[in-house]
Amino acid sequence: MFKFKKLLSLGVVTSLAFSLAACGGGETSPSTSESSGGSDAPVQEEEYVLKIAAGTMSPEFSLAKTWRYYEEELEARSDGRINVELYISGELGGDRELSEAVQMGEIQMVAPSTGAITGFSSAFNIFDLPFLFKDRETAYTVLDGEPGKKVLGTLDEIGLKGLGYFENGFRNLTNDVKPIETAADIEGLSVRTMENDMHIEAWRSLGANPTPMSFEELYTALQQGTIDGQENPLGLIRDIKLFEVQSHLAMTNHVYSPYVILMHKGFYDSLPADLQLIVEEVTTDATEYNRGLTLEEEKDARETLEAEGMQITELPAEEIAKIQEKMEPIYDQFKDRIGEDLLMEFLSMTKQ
Ligand code: TK8
């Protein structure tokens, strides 16, 4: 549940209470500007406060940089009519709490891992299908095309506006027990997964012992040895310094993880058409900026992880094929939750 005790220390709760009183789940206040019509009365133009939050990450992480870009561009292009407040170091909670807070209008924007919001819309299970996207180009074509837009559309009826997809990246397996050189090496490993049934089933299919937990609990669980390993993109592995508590990295690239860009629908609907268009244009440009950052970040992060002493193994193609084969039944197991037509539409574009 949303962490109000944390907000009290931030003094945010007072402005949050105020914002709840305002229309659209965000604060608005009239500002005056030169009248454009015949009357000499100043035109009252609404101003909007947009609170954006994110889970645990450093200021150097690609998503943190992306949100700062978003803030600058949105305030500049709206001539200050939208005032952005960033809470992007995990101070307001993790993906699930923040998504709930956006749905309730306590904050107005977040970009969680899609794995964290399958409880909001089961269609989002599709993005955690193992080996769905073979490369970034395919992922972007599908995410930015009709299939990706169709999944975003399922959010409208639950008070969320899906605006698009930033990038988390291809997920790889780390552990503190042994090098992973074959699919069989994964058997018996206790692996932290996102709180998502598909991830749990996928790692169970490899003979691992999956332990679902929030990202915010991960570092401590690894440090205390209550789990052996976890899986995430290289940029994030580096960003929270998992090289301090993990000795092995296996380049499995088993899932491409997007971050879905969520806005409180009441807030979006309360914006005049010109500001809605600006939000959409800034989102498009921020997505391009983000994807450029994450590509560079992944290369950098691999060098850092190796320099920090992690032993990196590239599994042979036949071992990756064995992992893929063991995880294959997940597609059938989850096709009803995803929706068979949507799944077929995605597969028609990804398995070419
Ligand atoms: C960071 C999370 C992370 C996700 C996870 O807030 O939980 O492992 O991959 O990116 O969203």
Side-chain angles (χ1 to χ4, degrees):
M1 197 45 200
F2 198 46
K3 301 182 178 173
F4 271 100
K5 58 180 181 298
K6 279 200 171 184
L7 292 177
L8 284 171
S9 62
L10 291 165
V12 173
V13 72
T14 42
S15 73
L16 275 179
F18 174 72
S19 67
L20 281 176
C23 65
E27 288 170 42
T28 61
S29 60
S31 70
T32 56
S33 65
E34 282 316 301
S35 158
S36 54
S39 83
D40 54 5
V43 172
Q44 295 279 340
E45 282 195 320
E46 296 279 0
E47 280 185 2
Y48 301 82
V49 177
L50 173 62
K51 291 180 177 67
I52 299 175
T56 303
M57 62 187 70
S58 78
E60 291 72 45
F61 186 55
S62 47
L63 184 57
K65 291 178 181 174
T66 302
W67 280 132
R68 289 198 295 276
Y69 171 93
Y70 204 95
E71 174 187 34
E72 279 162 36
E73 290 301 313
L74 193 52
E75 290 185 341
R77 297 188 206 181
S78 68
D79 293 326
R81 288 166 59 202
I82 298 181
N83 171 35
V84 176
E85 293 178 11
L86 295 182
Y87 303 94
I88 56 172
S89 51
E91 64 265 51
L92 300 186
D95 283 355
R96 208 147 40 83
E97 297 99 329
L98 295 176
S99 303
E100 286 165 0
V102 170
Q103 190 178 35
M104 291 159 63
E106 291 152 356
I107 52 176
Q108 289 75 41
M109 211 165 175
V110 66
S113 273
T114 51
I117 65 157
T118 51
F120 288 80
S121 160
S122 61
F124 279 87
N125 276 294
I126 196 151
F127 296 116
D128 291 286
L129 283 170
F131 302 98
L132 177 68
F133 297 125
K134 63 180 187 292
D135 54 33
R136 280 183 166 82
E137 189 188 349
T138 308
Y140 299 161
T141 303
V142 177
L143 289 171
D144 300 341
E146 275 322 299
K149 291 190 175 85
K150 203 170 277 183
V151 178
L152 293 176
T154 63
L155 295 168
D156 284 358
E157 62 198 21
I158 53 171
L160 290 168
K161 175 74 178 171
L163 290 170
Y165 302 91
F166 292 147
E167 178 165 289
N168 191 357
F170 280 97
R171 305 179 76 92
N172 293 287
L173 173 64
T174 67
N175 84 88
D176 208 31
V177 176
K178 58 184 176 179
I180 302 296
E181 289 157 337
T182 67
D185 286 342
I186 296 172
E187 288 166 20
L189 270 187
S190 66
V191 177
R192 174 267 176 180
T193 69
M194 286 194 279
E195 295 158 297
N196 167 300
D197 291 349
M198 186 180 291
H199 275 257
I200 293 166
E201 291 308 317
W203 288 95
R204 199 167 275 153
S205 72
L206 299 180
N209 301 312
T211 305
M213 72 175 70
S214 76
F215 186 70
E216 281 57 37
E217 300 164 273
L218 173 58
Y219 186 94
T220 305
L222 291 169
Q223 191 176 40
Q224 292 173 349
T226 48
I227 46 170
D228 299 325
Q230 64 86 49
E231 43 85 55
N232 246 295
L234 302 187
L236 208 51
I237 293 170
R238 176 181 65 177
D239 193 58
I240 63 165
K241 298 184 170 42
L242 292 189
F243 50 82
E244 294 172 346
V245 290
Q246 297 279 268
S247 47
H248 299 282
L249 167 63
M251 296 304 290
T252 49
N253 289 305
H254 52 277
V255 166
Y256 172 86
S257 247
Y259 282 130
V260 56
I261 307 164
L262 303 178
M263 181 175 272
H264 179 69
K265 191 168 184 310
F267 178 82
Y268 177 83
D269 292 346
S270 72
L271 298 174
D274 65 323
L275 288 184
Q276 287 181 344
L277 184 59
I278 290 171
V279 163
E280 284 152 16
E281 288 169 350
V282 170
T283 301
T284 300
D285 295 346
T287 301
E288 188 180 345
Y289 172 67
N290 167 266
R291 290 171 177 173
L293 282 182
T294 49
L295 197 56
E296 280 313 303
E297 183 178 68
E298 183 180 74
K299 290 183 199 130
D300 266 1
R302 179 170 173 145
E303 288 166 17
T304 307
L305 298 175
E306 200 149 29
E308 291 290 351
M310 287 192 86
Q311 184 190 338
I312 302 180
T313 51
E314 299 279 357
L315 283 78
E318 61 271 20
E319 290 303 326
I320 295 290
K322 282 180 194 164
I323 291 174
Q324 195 167 352
E325 196 181 327
K326 286 182 175 194
M327 287 184 164
E328 185 69 30
I330 296 279
Y331 281 68
D332 199 49
Q333 205 176 330
F334 282 81
K335 72 172 184 302
D336 294 340
R337 264 184 266 190
I338 291 167
E340 192 151 0
D341 293 348
L342 180 67
L343 178 57
M344 290 305 123
E345 192 172 346
F346 266 70
L347 294 181
S348 68
M349 294 180 77
T350 57
K351 299 302 178 194
Q352 285 163 356

